[in-house]
Amino acid sequence: MGCLDDLTITNLVGNALPEPQRVAALAHLDDCRTCSELVAAMAVGTPGPAAEPARLAPGTAVGRYVVERVAGAGAMGVVYAARDPSLDRTVALKLMAASDGERAQDRMLREAKAMAQLSHRNVVSIFDVGTFGDDVFLAMEFLPGRTLRQWLAERPRRPREIVAVLADAGRGLAAAHAAGIVHRDIKPDNVLITDDGRVCVTDFGLARASDAEATEPAAAPDTPVDALTATGHILGTPVYMAPEQLAGGGASVRSDQFSFCVVAYECFAGERPFTGRSLGELRESIARGPAPIPRVPAWIQRVILRGLAHEPEHRFPTLTALLDALARDPAIRYRRLAIAGGAVAVAAGVMLAIPRADRDTCPDPRDRLAGTWDAGRRTQLERAFAAHPYPFTASVLAPVIAGLDRYADRWVTLRVDACRATYERRDQTEARYDVELACFERRRGELAAVVDVLTNAPDEPTVRNALAVVQGLPDLLPCRDGKTLGEQTPLPAHPTARAQVDAAYRSLATAKTLAKTAKYQGALTLVAELLPVARRSDYAPLLAETLYLQGKLQMVTRDAATAKRALDEAATLAATAKDDALAARVWIQQTYTAGAIALDASEAAALARVARTAVQRAGDQDVLVLDWHNAVGAVLAVQGNYKDALPHFRDALAIAE
């Protein structure tokens, strides 16, 4: 179907289109970005239920964000490219009119809460939510690109291209499921493909917790499909819905899987698997089952058709299981067998002697770093630095990349060693291994935060301090041999709570990186936003680290009293969490704050003794001993006692060298 004509659009905007034509036009807008943007543009200033938020001029302040330009528009509102001056980054600002009342606001806030729980490369990140006059706004990750529908329309796509995009989108959706979130509106328009090839799931406006009450309003079988969403009978897009959703049974991770497979079928076939003008006809079409997809490899077809099973229990148990099946390309397996075939006779005796665990139990985990630090991210970093050619850029870039490579390699090596210690050497329990994996995942998040900040339009201080930022990445060895690692507070068991803690740690890592690039105000702003989240999490290690960073940052701004309160609470929480290394860092910072900022020599001396004991308790790690000597030396130097300060600086230098 072509675009709507001018008269239809004018009458639609003016709320003068007869009901049947209005329903059909609204349905068309769901699939046509051109028409939806035109309707949004014409709706400016138009009264009545079709009204959009008033278009904002460049320079308009929405919260702390400054509008730069319109980036897009649709039935749910206008999206602007805006600048976040606190964090020096461009965000996508989604503004939606509250003309639909509290229901519209609730939907948008639901989107914010759902997306804020997720921290994954294949999910669009949400940074902030608030109100602007009578409208609601979301500040999200700015991702230049196009929808999956537009990507497919650009040119014919090979099956493996489509599989790669679907796999990335599936990983984002699986991450939502792991966080306890059901999307409920998976369709090609809610999958974005960025200009640099990243695939993201977005528009969680209909999402809800998977354990929440999820029944839908009932609709009569003869209700036109196009009218279901427009009239509010069904929240979502009916032609992509699972049969249990259409029957009013609500959504689940398996109904999301069904929707995902409708999208997959459409990607390969060029049309949806089920049709029907009314709700009853659509449900009958689903009950009959989909037709085979022509000219699609059998292994792909089997996966998609199983995901489209009428009964939820006949689908894959999880979306992750579906993605595993989608990754089992038999052609690749056959090629590997063919390559290996010539060596089978020679190596048969050797292969039989190798325990199965050596081959399967502990595979290379480098794919876990995909999107964190890989060839694509390296290229992005090189391009970002090349766009800011300061005199020292070239001399900084090479050691920065080398440092990131070393960190990634060490992460892989130690993680494999942890696996082998558990399942091959039997040196440790699976419970200990789980704690180590959580530690490695946190370090991966900190690596991702560093790469994100370095590649996000780096300014002069960022480039100048880039090597120090990379060298300041936390040591990985404590994830393997930390003496008290197993005694520390375990991560929350519930998937939603755990995902929230993981996302908070990622934000905390970003704040740390901003601080290391001298963006102290941006880091303080992020910490201020994170503190309430950390308190609600009821997870002492997270709150302790957040307060510790707040104390350090407030010390930079010379607010000694506030810094001391934050550090006092952090010390108590670190002790509660049995995190000796963090406790030592807190007491070292307390020493510096008391002596170099508050200028209280006697308190600084007492705190220095407490800090030294804490460093010993943490195993006299080199980095902690170095920091202790630096802090004590700085306090003595501020007091003018250079003679006693010098030995501390010499000891610190020796460790650093």
Side-chain angles (χ1 to χ4, degrees), residues 138-351:
L138 289 177
M140 301 179 293
E141 194 174 6
F142 185 76
L143 297 174
R146 65 276 204 219
T147 67
L148 174 57
R149 191 182 304 283
Q150 294 165 334
W151 180 81
L152 290 166
E154 287 174 351
R155 60 177 174 83
R157 301 289 180 177
R158 296 190 303 274
R160 283 185 178 80
E161 283 185 277
I162 296 173
V163 167
V165 168
L166 289 173
D168 281 349
R171 281 189 277 269
L173 187 56
H177 292 172
I181 301 298
V182 177
H183 189 289
R184 300 170 73 226
D185 195 24
I186 296 298
K187 56 184 179 182
D189 308 279
N190 287 342
V191 176
L192 299 180
I193 303 171
T194 68
D195 292 340
D196 62 1
R198 179 179 164 196
V199 181
C200 290
V201 180
T202 187
D203 203 352
F204 280 69
L206 299 181
R208 62 162 49 127
S210 58
D211 55 357
E213 181 63 33
T215 58
E216 308 285 2
D222 60 352
T223 305
V225 169
D226 292 341
L228 287 170
T229 303
T231 58
H233 280 302
I234 287 182
L235 295 178
T237 309
V239 291
Y240 293 96
M241 282 184 175
E244 61 269 23
Q245 283 179 281
L246 295 173
S252 68
V253 294
R254 293 202 189 192
S255 66
D256 268 2
Q257 180 187 144
F258 184 96
S259 301
F260 178 83
C261 287
V262 173
V263 171
Y265 188 106
E266 186 176 356
C267 286
F268 287 107
E271 60 184 13
R272 290 186 286 267
F274 311 114
T275 60
R277 290 172 296 180
S278 68
L279 173 60
E281 289 179 2
L282 181 59
R283 290 168 61 181
E284 288 175 6
S285 178
I286 295 174
R288 288 193 299 270
I293 313 171
R295 298 180 301 281
V296 170
W299 61 279
I300 295 177
Q301 188 146 210
R302 282 193 298 271
V303 172
I304 294 175
L305 296 185
R306 179 176 173 183
L308 292 174
H310 188 277
E311 301 300 329
E313 60 269 21
H314 294 162
R315 301 169 201 155
F316 289 90
T318 64
L319 192 62
T320 300
L322 182 152
L323 296 175
D324 288 343
L326 198 60
R328 297 189 194 113
D329 183 347
I332 294 176
R333 186 171 74 250
Y334 294 153
R335 282 197 294 272
R336 288 173 178 167
L337 288 173
I339 292 169
V344 167
V346 176
V350 177
M351 290 296 293

Side-chain angles (χ1 to χ4, degrees), residues 518-548:
K519 293 181 175 65
Y520 302 118
Q521 192 53 55
L524 267 172
T525 299
L526 198 52
V527 167
E529 295 172 354
L530 185 57
L531 265 175
V533 177
R535 291 192 186 281
R536 288 195 301 270
S537 74
D538 197 28
Y539 186 62
L542 170 64
L543 181 56
E545 283 213 50
T546 307
L547 287 164
Y548 167 63

Side-chain angles (χ1 to χ4, degrees), residues 285-413:
S285 178
I286 295 174
R288 288 193 299 270
I293 313 171
R295 298 180 301 281
V296 170
W299 61 279
I300 295 177
Q301 188 146 210
R302 282 193 298 271
V303 172
I304 294 175
L305 296 185
R306 179 176 173 183
L308 292 174
H310 188 277
E311 301 300 329
E313 60 269 21
H314 294 162
R315 301 169 201 155
F316 289 90
T318 64
L319 192 62
T320 300
L322 182 152
L323 296 175
D324 288 343
L326 198 60
R328 297 189 194 113
D329 183 347
I332 294 176
R333 186 171 74 250
Y334 294 153
R335 282 197 294 272
R336 288 173 178 167
L337 288 173
I339 292 169
V344 167
V346 176
V350 177
M351 290 296 293
L352 289 172
I354 297 177
R356 181 173 178 81
D358 288 342
R359 299 196 305 273
D360 299 328
T361 306
C362 298
D364 189 333
R366 192 171 294 275
D367 62 342
R368 294 287 302 163
L369 294 176
T372 299
W373 182 246
D374 54 15
R377 296 294 274 162
R378 186 180 296 108
T379 299
Q380 291 173 11
L381 179 60
E382 290 170 345
R383 289 175 178 170
F385 273 46
H388 297 77
Y390 304 107
F392 46 82
T393 297
S395 62
V396 169
L397 181 59
V400 163
I401 289 177
L404 292 170
D405 284 341
R406 283 194 299 272
Y407 196 84
D409 290 343
R410 186 163 173 76
W411 185 91
V412 169
T413 300

